[in-house]
Amino acid sequence: MDYISVKDAAEKFKISERRIQKLCETNRIAGCTRISGIWLIPSDAVKPIDERTFSVPDSSKYLSLKEVCDELSISTATGRNWIKLGKLIPENTDTKKTYFSKNYITTLKKEIQSGKISALKSRRNKKFVSGYALYNSYVSENCINIPTIQKLLALISKNEIIISENVIQYIIADCAIHLLGNKKNYTWSGQGNLLLKFLNQELTTGTYDSLIDDLIDNGESARLFCKQNNAIFNLDYEYEPHEDILGLIYISCKNLGNRKSTGSYYTSNKVVNQLISKFKFKENEKVLDPCCGTGNFLLQLPDIIPFDNIYGNDIDAISVKITKLNMALKYNADINIIDAHITNFNYLTNFNLDAEYHYIIGNPPWGYDFSEDEKVILKANFKSISNKSIESYDVFIEQALRNLTLGGHLAFVLPEALLNVKAHTSIRNIILSSCSIRHLDFLGNAFDGVQCPCIIIDLQYQNAPLSTVGMVVSNKDDVFTINTSRTTSANHFSFITSDKEYKLLQKIRNIDSACYLKDNADFALGIVTGNNKEYISKTKTKTNEMILKGSDISKYHVNPTTNYIIFKPESFQQIAPTEMYRAREKLLYRFISSQLVFAYDNTQMLSLNSCNIVIPKLREINIKYILAILNSRVAQFIYKKEFNSVKVLRSHIESIPIPITDAATQDKIISVTNKLIAGLNGEQLYAQYDTLDSMICDLFHLTNTEQNIIKQVVDRDNKFLD
């Protein structure tokens, strides 16, 4: 078969060379092949149909609205709004599609960063305006290249250099040449502007030149940029084993908005090593990272595994180029094996499922924004999709399980929501039917700037129902092994209980006589005004009244607040029926909370949506008695050990058992409850709470030992009594 070059194909198809490369990298041109870093295209190849949502007159000179919004870290809706407001000025194609001159956007970005244009400085593009930041937690604390990369970012800011994808790749190419030269002690190692010398063929990295070439879209443009920005190419980088320096540059320069839109949260060395340390790898076992990013998980693998058994894949082409360089640096592997083992495919739709791996590791994308066409394909192929929205890490888990050998391990870093949020019930069903969980680590917030509790989960594929026996669970306070066989439901995975805690929960759940608020209470959200600044005042007037936030609620009582509102139900964005707020008696509770915090109200106070409402309707069960149960250590023990949530959901409240007891016993409990509602201070407050709690423990027939187990779990946290 005859082949033509990228340049020849670009002329034949009348598109840019860069577009040809992208089409090759995504297998859009039938029969294309890559040899020694050079793409070869069959001479009779047909130009692929352009599947992009719209076209621009010349992609080398113009950007689509979506591309502009990605550049500015704003949503498409915000972009359209800015056009209406005259903040963005587009040009139009003959088909009336919106597009922008690249020169215009380049100038606009520069003026935003310099502060010359203030009209676009808003919360929505705050990260873009503030420039690029060192993602230093990604590498180890002792990484010796951190000062150099800090200097790089400072020079970029000082010289007002616009960071495009091409520019990022130039910087990475220069760093990679330094690292290769430093590791192999080449004579030119340590010299300045190595990239320009490489482009001028004044030096070579040997067999890995093609990996550097892959980062350069246009040699002449790269030479010109190097000459114009000499300062950022006169930095000296040192090779450090197990440190992803190239990845650190990439993610520090890559805009945060782009990272979030693709669900990319790059995993620190600390977390990667915590995951890797769980396994005793063998030389002949194959390892895959299907979403390898820049290759940090693969860099941390023990040296016992030869590169012949290591595989990586990612949908981001630049990340794949960096991973190949990282593998060259670590393993000195043959370039053809690197090209074969590190691939740029969509793992969910185009990856080879015939291959089986002993270990699949990594951090799959969270909240990836799939196109409508992708959603159609995924819904037809994945059982873990059960509603309109598709969570990317759910389908990654399902796909990875298909790629595992029997007895193989899947270990991912994931949001803790996988364990207990309703949207993930389908993937939990798949796990229940075919896997056992060997390790489960609760990490807390593991990523800089991301408020999302995370876990490391190690699933062993057994093609048999889940067994809890032997599961090792760890959190910041404890490590324990589950040695009992437990009944597990896909409704939520609750594995943060030791065997003695689990036994105690079962006892509480199985008390002789209990009732529940499920189907026996009215629930309501607090008011959503739609604009708190407009509707809420700090000044009391004759026409407004107090409105509560969640932070105004303590256990049993409401704290004074200075938030006031004029109650006009028709003006608010979302509101419950008025009678819920004006009920003769009701319980208010904090919605965002790691604690169950309920207060009593008989003054018909209003509340915002951080402070929700429940009105019990249990016959012969007093509302204040229910209040005492919900605020008890027993209820908190259930909430923490079964749900481990920071949002108090209706389903959580409905599942708390309320012991059925006679009126006299209720009255004794209510007598103490009234004191707490009225308000106490200091030692009296905590003494009465302990007295009340002891009475409630008696209702559950708990021994002193069992009560101490509960106290050890819940008393480390704020009780929200004051």
Side-chain angles (χ1 to χ4, degrees):
M1 180 182 290
D2 293 330
Y3 291 91
I4 58 176
S5 68
V6 168
K7 183 177 180 181
D8 293 334
E11 292 175 357
K12 176 181 177 180
F13 295 159
K14 293 182 171 52
I15 57 179
S16 69
E17 292 181 30
R18 178 62 180 156
R19 182 63 182 155
I20 292 292
Q21 287 180 322
K22 281 188 172 291
L23 291 172
C24 290
E25 289 167 354
T26 54
N27 288 327
R28 294 280 311 285
I29 299 178
C32 66
T33 186
R34 188 168 178 270
I35 299 176
S36 298
I38 298 172
W39 284 106
L40 298 178
I41 295 105
S43 58
D44 59 353
V46 178
K47 179 182 178 181
I49 296 172
D50 193 345
E51 295 179 351
R52 292 170 292 178
T53 54
F54 49 81
S55 61
V56 293
D58 181 347
S59 59
S60 66
K61 296 181 180 179
Y62 295 94
L63 295 171
S64 68
L65 175 60
K66 185 180 186 307
E67 289 169 331
V68 168
C69 292
D70 288 344
E71 290 281 338
L72 297 178
S73 301
I74 58 174
S75 68
T76 306
T78 299
R80 292 194 187 101
N81 189 45
W82 284 2
I83 291 171
K84 291 178 183 178
L85 297 173
K87 295 181 178 181
L88 284 176
I89 303 172
E91 300 179 37
N92 288 306
T93 65
D94 293 338
T95 55
K96 304 301 181 185
K97 297 293 184 181
T98 305
Y99 67 93
F100 301 79
S101 160
K102 278 189 176 179
N103 290 336
Y104 165 67
I105 296 301
T106 298
T107 302
L108 181 69
K109 288 173 66 177
K110 197 167 186 176
E111 290 178 343
I112 293 172
Q113 285 184 321
S114 67
K116 187 175 180 180
I117 293 180
S118 59
L120 300 182
K121 286 190 176 183
S122 69
R123 178 178 57 84
R124 291 186 181 89
N125 64 329
K126 180 179 178 182
K127 184 65 182 182
F128 171 76
V129 172
S130 62
Y132 303 91
L134 182 67
Y135 203 71
N136 60 303
S137 63
Y138 178 68
V139 291
S140 62
E141 292 180 2
N142 300 320
C143 175
I144 59 178
N145 282 285
I146 286 178
T148 305
I149 299 174
Q150 285 175 324
K151 186 175 181 180
L152 167 70
L153 297 175
L155 287 168
I156 289 170
S157 178
K158 178 183 177 181
N159 297 323
E160 299 182 356
I161 298 171
I162 299 300
I163 300 295
S164 65
E165 280 195 354
N166 282 339
V167 169
I168 292 175
Q169 291 182 90
Y170 299 158
I171 296 170
I172 290 168
D174 181 67
C175 178
I177 296 169
H178 276 277
L179 298 180
L180 287 165
N182 182 256
K183 183 183 180 185
K184 297 190 175 186
N185 293 315
Y186 286 133
T187 55
W188 44 260
S189 177
Q191 296 179 16
N193 215 331
L194 293 184
L195 177 58
L196 183 59
K197 293 173 182 176
F198 175 87
L199 294 169
N200 290 333
Q201 298 183 350
E202 297 172 19
L203 63 83
T204 178
T205 64
T207 58
Y208 297 134
D209 279 0
S210 61
L211 298 180
I212 304 297
D213 287 332
D214 285 348
L215 292 164
I216 309 302
D217 182 50
N218 183 293
E220 285 304 314
S221 296
R223 287 187 188 90
L224 180 61
F225 184 85
C226 288
K227 292 174 182 177
Q228 292 175 339
N229 299 278
N230 186 61
I232 65 172
F233 294 105
N234 272 305
L235 301 171
D236 194 16
Y237 305 92
E238 294 185 48
Y239 173 71
E240 296 178 85
H242 306 292
E243 295 286 9
D244 183 12
I245 305 306
L246 302 176
L248 177 60
I249 291 174
Y250 183 43
I251 62 179
S252 295
C253 291
K254 192 177 181 182
N255 190 283
L256 179 64
N258 292 338
R259 295 208 301 268
K260 286 186 175 180
S261 68
T262 57
S264 302
Y265 296 100
Y266 293 84
T267 318
S268 68
N269 272 5
K270 179 181 178 182
V271 174
V272 172
N273 285 316
Q274 185 171 336
L275 184 151
I276 296 292
S277 67
K278 300 191 177 304
F279 305 113
K280 295 181 180 179
F281 297 96
K282 296 179 181 177
E283 184 178 353
N284 62 342
E285 292 177 327
K286 293 166 65 176
V287 181
L288 166 69
D289 184 346
C291 37
C292 65
T294 56
N296 202 21
F297 280 89
L298 304 181
L299 277 177
Q300 309 309 323
L301 288 171
D303 294 337
I304 190 175
I305 310 172
F307 186 70
D308 286 350
N309 286 329
I310 293 174
Y311 298 80
N313 177 78
D314 203 274
I315 199 170
D316 180 65
I318 298 177
S319 291
V320 170
K321 295 173 187 178
I322 294 171
T323 301
K324 289 181 178 182
L325 282 162
N326 274 328
M327 297 302 98
L329 283 162
K330 178 175 180 178
Y331 293 100
N332 295 316
D334 180 271
I335 185 65
N336 293 316
I337 298 178
I338 291 176
D339 279 337
H341 284 217
I342 309 299
T343 54
N344 177 212
F345 295 118
N346 184 328
Y347 180 66
L348 301 177
T349 57
N350 301 117
F351 197 79
N352 178 18
L353 290 178
D354 293 332
E356 292 186 341
Y357 301 88
H358 297 87
Y359 295 94
I360 297 180
I361 59 176
N363 174 15
W366 307 357
Y368 185 88
D369 187 14
F370 293 106
S371 69
E372 291 305 314
D373 288 342
E374 287 173 325
K375 289 178 182 178
V376 171
I377 295 170
L378 295 175
K379 286 178 180 178
N381 289 283
F382 290 92
K383 296 179 181 178
S384 56
I385 301 170
S386 57
N387 50 40
K388 291 183 179 180
S389 63
I390 300 176
E391 176 45 66
S392 47
Y393 59 80
D394 285 355
V395 286
F396 261 83
I397 293 171
E398 184 176 352
Q399 185 80 324
L401 290 175
R402 297 169 180 172
N403 254 154
L404 276 178
T405 186
L406 189 65
H409 290 259
L410 183 161
F412 278 167
V413 180
L414 297 166
E416 195 176 306
L418 171 78
L419 303 177
N420 49 39
V421 172
K422 186 177 181 180
H424 306 297
T425 303
S426 294
I427 191 61
R428 289 196 292 269
N429 266 315
I430 291 172
I431 292 170
L432 274 176
S433 66
S434 60
C435 303
S436 285
I437 302 174
R438 293 307 179 200
H439 295 90
L440 183 61
D441 292 4
F442 291 85
L443 304 177
N445 295 322
F447 296 92
D448 277 357
V450 181
Q451 296 299 312
C452 177
C454 306
I455 58 171
I456 293 173
I457 190 167
D458 165 24
L459 302 174
Q460 186 173 29
Y461 175 64
Q462 296 180 311
N463 198 25
L466 182 143
S467 170
T468 58
V469 177
M471 186 192 308
V472 180
V473 181
S474 71
N475 55 45
K476 63 180 181 180
D477 300 316
D478 197 11
V479 179
F480 58 86
T481 300
I482 296 175
N483 294 310
T484 55
S485 181
R486 302 182 183 180
T487 301
T488 306
S489 165
N491 291 333
H492 64 270
F493 282 178
S494 178
F495 300 121
I496 58 171
T497 55
S498 65
D499 286 345
K500 65 180 181 180
E501 291 166 348
Y502 180 77
K503 183 179 179 181
L504 178 52
L505 276 172
Q506 294 302 104
K507 177 178 178 177
I508 292 169
R509 284 285 181 207
N510 293 320
I511 61 171
D512 293 336
S513 184
C515 56
Y516 296 84
L517 291 179
K518 183 174 175 59
D519 300 324
N520 291 304
D522 291 331
F523 288 81
L525 299 177
I527 296 168
V528 180
T529 66
N531 189 338
N532 284 353
K533 287 184 179 179
E534 178 181 348
Y535 290 109
I536 296 177
S537 170
K538 293 292 184 182
T539 305
K540 181 72 179 79
T541 67
K542 292 181 179 180
T543 57
N544 64 18
E545 60 184 295
M546 186 185 295
I547 187 165
L548 302 171
K549 296 180 179 179
S551 56
D552 299 321
I553 302 298
S554 291
K555 286 189 175 182
Y556 296 101
H557 65 276
V558 173
N559 297 309
T561 181
T562 56
N563 295 309
Y564 303 95
I565 195 168
I566 298 174
F567 187 55
K568 294 182 178 179
E570 68 281 359
S571 302
F572 304 139
Q573 181 176 316
Q574 184 177 335
I575 189 168
T578 300
E579 57 266 26
M580 294 295 293
Y581 305 107
R582 303 309 191 189
R584 185 176 62 85
E585 290 182 299
K586 65 178 183 287
L587 301 182
L588 299 165
Y589 65 94
R590 292 191 182 205
F591 172 52
I592 305 298
S593 179
S594 60
Q595 297 274 313
L596 295 180
V597 182
F598 288 80
Y600 175 78
D601 173 51
N602 62 352
T603 60
Q604 296 76 54
M605 280 190 286
L606 300 174
S607 64
L608 291 169
N609 62 321
S610 58
C611 177
N612 293 338
I613 298 167
V614 57
I615 303 175
K617 293 189 173 181
L618 286 163
R619 287 186 177 182
E620 299 181 1
I621 304 291
N622 190 285
I623 188 173
K624 291 181 180 178
Y625 169 74
I626 295 171
L627 171 66
I629 300 297
L630 294 177
N631 275 334
S632 69
R633 285 187 175 97
V634 174
Q636 179 59 27
F637 180 69
I638 295 170
Y639 178 64
K640 185 168 184 176
K641 285 298 180 177
E642 287 198 359
F643 306 114
N644 193 36
S645 177
V646 293
K647 291 182 179 179
V648 180
L649 304 181
R650 174 175 176 169
S651 59
H652 300 158
I653 300 169
E654 290 178 330
S655 73
I656 303 296
I658 300 169
I660 297 174
T661 188
D662 56 62
T665 302
Q666 288 188 51
D667 287 342
K668 290 179 182 178
I669 288 173
I670 291 168
S671 174
V672 182
T673 301
N674 281 332
K675 295 177 184 178
L676 292 167
I677 291 172
L680 296 170
N681 294 313
E683 293 182 3
Q684 275 192 323
L685 171 63
Y686 286 89
Q688 289 297 323
Y689 179 75
D690 286 340
T691 298
L692 182 57
D693 207 65
S694 179
M695 296 167 70
I696 292 170
C697 285
D698 287 343
L699 294 174
F700 286 95
H701 311 296
L702 301 181
T703 66
N704 288 336
T705 300
E706 290 167 337
Q707 291 181 47
N708 286 332
I709 291 173
I710 292 174
K711 288 178 180 178
Q712 287 172 7
V713 170
V714 304
D715 279 5
R716 288 176 288 200
D717 303 320
N718 185 351
K719 294 186 181 67
F720 293 100
L721 283 169
D722 298 319

